[in-house]
Amino acid sequence: MRPEALKPAGEFSEAERDAVYRAIHERRDVRSEFLPDAISDSVLTRILAAAHAAPSVGLSQPWNFILIRDKGVRAAIRAAFERANAEAQALFEGPRQAQYGKLKLQGILEAPLNICVTCDRRRGGPVVLGRTHDNDTDLYSTVCAVQNLWLAARAEGVGVGWVSILHQSDLRRILGLPDHVTPVAYLCLGKVRDLFDRPELEARGWDRRRALGSAVFQDQWGVSGSLPEG
Amino acid sequence: MRPEALKPAGEFSEAERDAVYRAIHERRDVRSEFLPDAISDSVLTRILAAAHAAPSVGLSQPWNFILIRDKGVRAAIRAAFERANAEAQALFEGPRQAQYGKLKLQGILEAPLNICVTCDRRRGGPVVLGRTHDNDTDLYSTVCAVQNLWLAARAEGVGVGWVSILHQSDLRRILGLPDHVTPVAYLCLGKVRDLFDRPELEARGWDRRRALGSAVFQDQWGVSGSLPEG
């Protein structure tokens, strides 16, 4: 018997499909383009609801969203970033080290809103459907929420930058995270007027996008097929 | 000086924004609704290009997409699922165990296409920008690609189901993955006519969605604020 909750999916019109692809292809990792304007409550609620609609292993919904507007908290995060970033720069060698030093890799203080997206490793209890054979699937669910948030933000004219150059220990201390909660993403959000028309790291000569075909295999690792070019 | 690649972002119209939210809120984890029809090359290329447009740490693009149509490969994966799923069911107790046994948790053979999305832990070399302080960020980039794929598929009328009840060792053996490549997501894809109007695990009484407000904190873990309701 078909459960009542099963309904005709309904096609997307070409315009709707194009809009989804526009968000996906025009989404950028923003570091310098944040405007100081506040994000309205209605926009923020829609963006968070989009994140909260992500798939999650066993419907465990392991994510939390810590909205950070407090300037003292953001200043502490920014200081933690500066320490970590100096460590990071020292790991590169030669001209790459100098090039790294010129990149702006965060907008923690310029962005009016920061969000730390966390994963509660205990959410859903000791045995979670679908997490029995890969314990990291709760982290993956949390990242699905991040990507939903990022695309919704793009559609709202809000830029998002993911700051990953932070010690987890600093995030735990500054934000008061319990041991069983993993900080997955530290995000900066703000309205944007301008965006890069390609990944900023490509525009600045750090690296290039790979061809899609090089990422696609057929039936086995390493077996290239002809990618349909549609 | 502004790099030439910085361009006016351009607003999304209300209709475009609604389309993005439609994809996000109508996306489902599909197990039983796959139609046998082949996915056209043009649709598949657009879906893969959407995945490939995901953000990645240091622009490392660590993902690969193994397109699996071969029935022998899919039969081997299905057998690996059956073994793992029996182990999983044994971990639940009492009525939950019986309830688990009634759930259909994969559509490996019914879906005309399976895709294993992998993460090459060596991609980008020994030091990757942004991965210096959280080694898992390459896995997170790969999940962003999965979520892009999932949303693009929804807009194309293609359902996606994520099968996580598999031993990584089985996926490595069957798909020939090198040791430095982690299988992140095993996906089943096929056209769909019907979809659940809420998460299937909710429709079937396994668990419920949480209220968004319970997931949102202000400035510190555990500090609830009033979520704007827009």
Side-chain angles (χ1 to χ4, degrees):
Chain A
M1 198 182 118
R2 280 167 51 135
E4 281 187 348
L6 200 53
K7 300 274 165 57
E11 288 193 8
F12 275 54
S13 69
E14 201 173 314
E16 287 178 304
R17 204 185 66 193
D18 288 350
V20 173
Y21 283 125
R22 184 182 170 200
I24 286 172
H25 290 287
E26 294 187 3
R27 180 211 51 76
R28 289 290 168 265
D29 195 334
V30 174
R31 288 93 180 258
S32 303
E33 288 72 44
F34 297 113
L35 303 175
D37 320 42
I39 299 167
S40 76
D41 284 355
S42 56
V43 168
L44 180 56
T45 301
R46 287 197 295 267
I47 291 174
L48 292 172
H52 193 57
S56 67
V57 62
L59 200 55
S60 57
Q61 307 157 79
W63 47 70
N64 282 86
F65 309 98
I66 308 178
L67 311 182
I68 303 161
R69 294 187 185 85
D70 184 88
K71 286 190 179 175
V73 175
R74 286 193 284 144
I77 298 282
R78 167 67 185 263
F81 167 84
E82 294 297 344
R83 290 191 299 272
N85 200 44
E87 295 164 359
Q89 185 176 4
L91 297 173
F92 292 92
E93 296 182 350
R96 204 77 167 152
Q97 188 174 88
Q99 189 184 7
Y100 184 96
K102 287 179 191 159
L103 295 171
K104 184 175 186 334
L105 297 175
Q106 53 73 39
I108 296 165
L109 295 179
E110 302 92 314
L113 176 66
N114 294 183
I115 301 180
C116 186
V117 185
T118 61
C119 178
D120 183 342
R121 311 300 310 264
R122 294 187 189 160
R123 191 75 50 81
V127 185
V128 174
L129 182 154
R131 199 180 153 205
T132 50
H133 289 71
D134 187 344
N135 196 47
D136 286 348
T137 45
D138 59 341
L139 299 171
Y140 297 169
S141 302
T142 305
V143 175
C144 289
V146 171
Q147 186 63 3
N148 269 9
L149 181 156
W150 213 330
L151 295 170
R154 176 64 193 93
E156 299 279 6
V158 171
V160 175
W162 183 328
V163 182
S164 58
I165 307 165
L166 290 164
H167 286 284
Q168 287 200 2
S169 55
D170 282 330
L171 285 170
R172 289 182 186 286
R173 174 179 50 81
I174 297 166
L175 301 176
L177 305 182
D179 289 344
H180 63 280
V181 172
T182 298
V184 169
Y186 192 89
L187 307 174
C188 302
L189 283 85
K191 293 187 187 179
V192 288
R193 191 178 298 117
D194 297 321
L195 287 175
F196 281 85
D197 65 359
R198 68 202 79 162
E200 184 172 345
L201 287 178
E202 182 172 83
R204 296 192 186 279
W206 182 262
D207 211 335
R208 289 185 181 185
R209 282 173 288 181
R210 307 167 67 214
L212 172 56
S214 71
V216 179
F217 295 136
Q218 312 285 338
D219 290 314
Q220 293 282 312
W221 177 268
V223 179
S224 297
S226 58
L227 179 74
E229 287 303 335
Chain B
M1 200 180 117
R2 279 166 52 136
E4 282 187 348
L6 200 54
K7 301 271 163 58
E11 287 192 8
F12 276 53
S13 69
E14 201 173 314
E16 287 179 303
R17 203 186 67 194
D18 289 349
V20 172
Y21 283 125
R22 184 182 169 200
I24 286 172
H25 290 288
E26 294 187 3
R27 180 212 50 76
R28 288 290 169 264
D29 195 334
V30 175
R31 289 93 180 255
S32 302
E33 289 73 42
F34 297 113
L35 303 176
D37 319 42
I39 299 167
S40 77
D41 285 354
S42 56
V43 167
L44 179 57
T45 300
R46 288 197 295 268
I47 292 174
L48 292 173
H52 193 56
S56 66
V57 63
L59 200 56
S60 57
Q61 305 156 81
W63 46 71
N64 282 86
F65 309 99
I66 308 178
L67 311 181
I68 302 160
R69 295 186 186 84
D70 184 88
K71 286 189 178 174
V73 175
R74 286 193 284 144
I77 297 281
R78 168 65 186 263
F81 167 84
E82 293 298 345
R83 290 192 298 272
N85 201 44
E87 295 164 358
Q89 186 176 4
L91 297 173
F92 292 92
E93 295 181 351
R96 204 76 168 153
Q97 187 173 89
Q99 190 183 6
Y100 184 95
K102 288 180 192 158
L103 295 171
K104 183 173 185 338
L105 297 174
Q106 54 73 38
I108 295 165
L109 296 180
E110 302 91 315
L113 175 67
N114 294 183
I115 301 181
C116 185
V117 186
T118 61
C119 178
D120 182 342
R121 312 299 311 263
R122 294 187 188 160
R123 189 75 50 81
V127 185
V128 173
L129 183 156
R131 200 180 153 207
T132 51
H133 289 72
D134 187 343
N135 196 50
D136 286 348
T137 46
D138 59 341
L139 299 171
Y140 298 169
S141 301
T142 304
V143 175
C144 288
V146 171
Q147 186 63 3
N148 269 8
L149 181 157
W150 213 331
L151 295 170
R154 177 65 193 90
E156 299 279 6
V158 171
V160 175
W162 182 328
V163 182
S164 59
I165 306 164
L166 290 163
H167 286 284
Q168 287 200 2
S169 54
D170 283 329
L171 284 171
R172 290 181 186 287
R173 174 178 51 79
I174 297 166
L175 301 176
L177 305 183
D179 288 345
H180 63 280
V181 172
T182 298
V184 169
Y186 192 88
L187 307 174
C188 302
L189 284 84
K191 293 187 186 180
V192 287
R193 191 178 298 116
D194 297 323
L195 287 175
F196 280 86
D197 65 358
R198 68 202 78 161
E200 184 173 344
L201 288 178
E202 183 173 84
R204 296 193 186 279
W206 181 263
D207 209 336
R208 289 186 181 184
R209 282 174 288 181
R210 306 168 66 215
L212 172 57
S214 71
V216 179
F217 294 137
Q218 312 284 339
D219 291 314
Q220 293 283 311
W221 177 268
V223 178
S224 298
S226 57
L227 180 73
E229 286 305 333

